[in-house]
Amino acid sequence: MSDFRRYVPPHGTAPYAGLGHQEILDGLPAARKALWQTKLASLRDIPFKGVTTDGDILKGLFALRDEGAPTAAVIEAVAKLLPLMADAQRAAVMHPIDSAARRMWVNEVPRYERYGVWLDESPPHVRDAVMNVLRVSLSAAGFEKSRDVMRLNGFLGDLVGAPIALGEFCYQFHVFGEPSASQPWGWQLYGHHLCLTCFMLGGQMTLTPAFMGAEPRYADAGAHAGLRLFEDEERMGLQLLRGFTETQRRKAIIHATTVADHLPPGRHQAADGMSFGGSFKDNAIVPYEGVSGAELDNRQRRALLDLAEKYLSTLPEGPLRARMSDVERHIADTHFCWSGGFEEESAFYYRIQSPVVMIEFDHHKGVLLTNDTPQKFHVHTIVRTPNGGDYGMDLLRMHY
């Protein structure tokens, strides 16, 4: 029996089981709706700064440059998509480049806002055209990984009896700015366990925040049986930690557990688990922790860079090489920290953090499944560009 099967709730008892989207929204407690409004107010009242280590932005980290981004192909894909939509749908999809809506992504099931096109409510030809925008924007591996996250979301819906709420295409897509070969614009797709935020400016692109997760992270039945995600991210993280000296490992491990009740106050981030970079945390202050690249030998540094590239490889080749050049330039200031055990069965969290990238991997407790402690079959990952780089904000500032 798969390790997650013992935690599947009895039929009809899981959250959202048998419910449609409006029923889910109507049934939310008043406190949860109020919390959503508070989060929206925070976007209006608190200007974007970006993730930092101490509240102060490090300047001069990013530059306008031609990275060989597939801008022309993405423009063409969007140009093919928009005429397929009705006028009202097209108006809902298009937003100004500075719209706050791009910061309203969330890893939740309820559809609090409708400011784009929901793929599960769209005809197949519109849905396929949106998928083509992703296909030409991302690397081949990045596109397949994104689609696999979506497929596992559908598997979860079938598993817990909530196929409407948790479907393969329960994702919202929207465009920011007018698609252009020289002016800034972008697109975003988000929903449960997936958020991709693409910003384009000439031959340059960014792809953060980028959130991916799965519960469970593999399918053992149905159309996608055998599909597995996050195995490399898990294995390479373990190998990196196990390759440290005892002194390095002691410094890297900041907590021996990821169980909320066993951690210092404020360390566990509630629904975000151990991660600091989730939705509505664009201005998170995250001090460096763990061991730094300056303390690693060449082999260990290479392993750390390879692990970072595993996440950044959602980008196509040119932007990936440019981003990895940024990461390598700051390798001495790149920190790696770990919480949890490091045996094969251990649940854990790790973070890679430097002036130009923050990557988090976290084994989670159950949300739709019933495990009340973190298990390895539920994974969240998040990639951020600190110091104002998320959403292409610093590039947008330099352009104007």
Side-chain angles (χ1 to χ4, degrees):
M1 182 175 68
S2 298
D3 56 352
F4 64 80
R5 285 283 172 180
R6 74 189 75 172
Y7 299 109
V8 176
H11 183 74
T13 65
Y16 317 122
L19 298 179
H21 298 297
Q22 192 59 48
E23 291 174 298
I24 291 170
L25 198 59
D26 291 344
L28 290 179
R32 189 164 172 184
K33 293 179 181 179
L35 177 60
W36 176 254
Q37 292 303 318
T38 298
K39 289 180 176 181
L40 291 185
S42 73
L43 297 185
R44 295 190 298 267
D45 299 340
I46 304 173
F48 174 87
K49 175 180 283 188
V51 174
T52 63
T53 59
D54 59 6
D56 293 327
I57 292 289
L58 296 179
K59 299 185 183 300
L61 296 173
F62 311 108
L64 298 176
R65 62 193 180 189
D66 187 350
E67 301 171 348
T71 309
V74 184
I75 292 172
E76 181 181 1
V78 174
K80 291 179 178 178
L81 164 67
L82 295 179
L84 301 178
M85 298 178 176
D87 290 346
Q89 200 176 38
R90 189 162 51 250
V93 165
M94 301 299 295
H95 295 262
I97 185 62
D98 59 352
S99 170
R102 60 189 164 156
R103 297 178 58 201
M104 290 162 55
W105 67 275
V106 64
N107 173 41
E108 288 200 42
V109 174
R111 298 187 175 180
Y112 296 103
E113 303 293 329
R114 288 179 173 269
Y115 52 85
V117 55
W118 284 95
L119 302 187
D120 61 332
E121 299 174 354
S122 302
H125 64 284
V126 171
R127 189 171 65 211
D128 291 346
V130 171
M131 289 298 96
N132 189 50
V133 174
L134 268 66
R135 181 181 290 106
V136 301
S137 300
L138 310 178
S139 66
F143 175 72
E144 280 307 309
K145 186 177 181 181
S146 302
R147 286 292 288 116
D148 285 346
V149 168
M150 297 168 69
R151 293 175 182 121
L152 285 177
N153 195 58
F155 174 72
L156 173 61
D158 292 337
L159 186 68
V160 301
I164 299 175
L166 294 156
E168 181 177 341
F169 292 101
C170 288
Y171 296 90
Q172 184 171 221
F173 176 84
H174 36 271
V175 175
F176 298 98
E178 291 290 333
S180 168
S182 59
Q183 297 301 307
W185 70 286
W187 57 261
Q188 186 180 72
L189 180 125
Y190 87 87
H192 186 238
H193 278 153
L194 180 64
C195 172
L196 297 170
T197 308
C198 179
F199 171 85
M200 310 201 82
L201 177 55
Q204 192 167 9
M205 69 180 287
T206 65
L207 202 61
T208 60
F211 175 89
M212 293 188 181
E215 180 192 20
R217 66 181 178 89
Y218 63 90
D220 63 352
H224 304 302
L227 172 60
R228 306 181 74 91
L229 277 179
F230 306 115
E231 291 198 315
D232 288 343
E233 293 87 341
E234 181 180 274
R235 174 184 53 81
M236 293 169 70
L238 273 170
Q239 288 178 344
L240 177 61
L241 184 75
R242 290 171 176 173
F244 288 166
T245 66
E246 185 176 347
T247 299
Q248 290 170 329
R249 193 179 305 122
R250 280 201 303 268
K251 188 170 183 179
I253 298 176
I254 54 176
H255 300 291
T257 182
T258 61
V259 177
D261 293 345
H262 300 163
L263 290 164
R267 181 56 189 85
H268 196 273
Q269 302 296 297
D272 287 327
M274 296 291 289
S275 297
F276 288 107
S279 59
F280 292 93
K281 294 183 177 178
D282 293 336
N283 296 341
I285 297 175
V286 187
Y288 288 137
E289 296 179 286
V291 64
S292 73
E295 301 169 82
L296 305 181
D297 63 29
N298 289 337
R299 177 188 58 81
Q300 293 166 330
R301 286 187 176 194
R302 185 70 262 165
L304 179 57
L305 289 169
D306 289 346
L307 180 56
E309 185 167 355
K310 172 55 64 174
Y311 291 87
L312 298 176
S313 61
T314 306
L315 286 161
E317 182 63 24
L320 171 61
R321 297 274 66 86
R323 200 70 67 251
M324 285 305 301
S325 176
D326 294 339
V327 174
E328 290 187 39
R329 189 169 65 252
H330 294 278
I331 186 62
D333 295 324
T334 301
H335 291 70
F336 180 83
C337 67
W338 185 280
S339 294
F342 53 96
E343 304 301 326
E344 288 300 320
E345 71 279 4
S346 301
F348 56 79
Y349 159 90
Y350 66 76
R351 183 171 75 248
I352 300 170
Q353 185 180 2
S354 83
V356 295
V357 72
M358 187 173 82
I359 298 166
E360 296 180 283
F361 176 101
D362 191 22
H363 288 127
H364 261 247
K365 70 175 185 177
V367 176
L368 278 301
L369 302 183
T370 62
N371 52 296
D372 57 7
T373 59
Q375 300 290 331
K376 297 183 74 173
F377 52 75
H378 187 181
V379 169
H380 285 186
T381 68
I382 180 79
V383 182
R384 290 277 193 169
T385 306
N387 292 298
D390 279 335
Y391 309 99
M393 288 288 203
D394 200 49
L395 300 181
L396 192 62
R397 177 189 60 78
M398 285 186 277
H399 175 74
Y400 287 123

